[in-house]
Amino acid sequence: MPEIAKASYYRELKRELDLRETEAQLLAAAAEKLERESQTVIAEAIRDMWRHNEVARLRLQTQLGALFFC
């Protein structure tokens, strides 16, 4: 992969990873707040969203790591 394309792809992956990390923080905070308010069903649904986000975040980290071995 040419260096310019690699740099562009890196920026795209990094931007998405940063968004996923922010989303994870917001979801965790929302779940904690709902749990404190005894809204456990909604809190569990948000935790499911957080877990899905974590899988996507880990996939992005793997892609970023693999980019350096191309």
Side-chain angles (χ1 to χ4, degrees):
M1 178 182 287
E3 290 302 314
I4 293 174
K6 189 184 282 190
S8 177
Y9 186 54
Y10 172 83
R11 283 191 302 276
E12 180 183 330
L13 289 175
K14 182 68 174 130
R15 184 173 28 253
E16 187 171 346
L17 181 60
D18 290 344
L19 289 172
R20 290 287 182 173
E21 289 173 349
T22 300
E23 183 178 17
Q25 292 169 357
L26 292 171
L27 288 169
E32 288 175 15
K33 181 179 185 292
L34 290 166
E35 189 71 37
R36 285 192 306 272
E37 295 173 354
S38 299
Q39 297 184 31
T40 55
V41 173
I42 298 171
E44 190 56 39
I46 289 179
R47 283 192 190 90
D48 287 343
M49 293 168 58
W50 179 85
R51 284 188 282 275
H52 176 75
N53 185 63
E54 277 298 290
V55 169
R57 193 178 65 76
L58 292 171
R59 189 176 300 122
L60 286 167
Q61 285 180 329
T62 301
Q63 289 175 320
L64 278 171
L67 188 61
F68 290 105
F69 293 108
C70 290

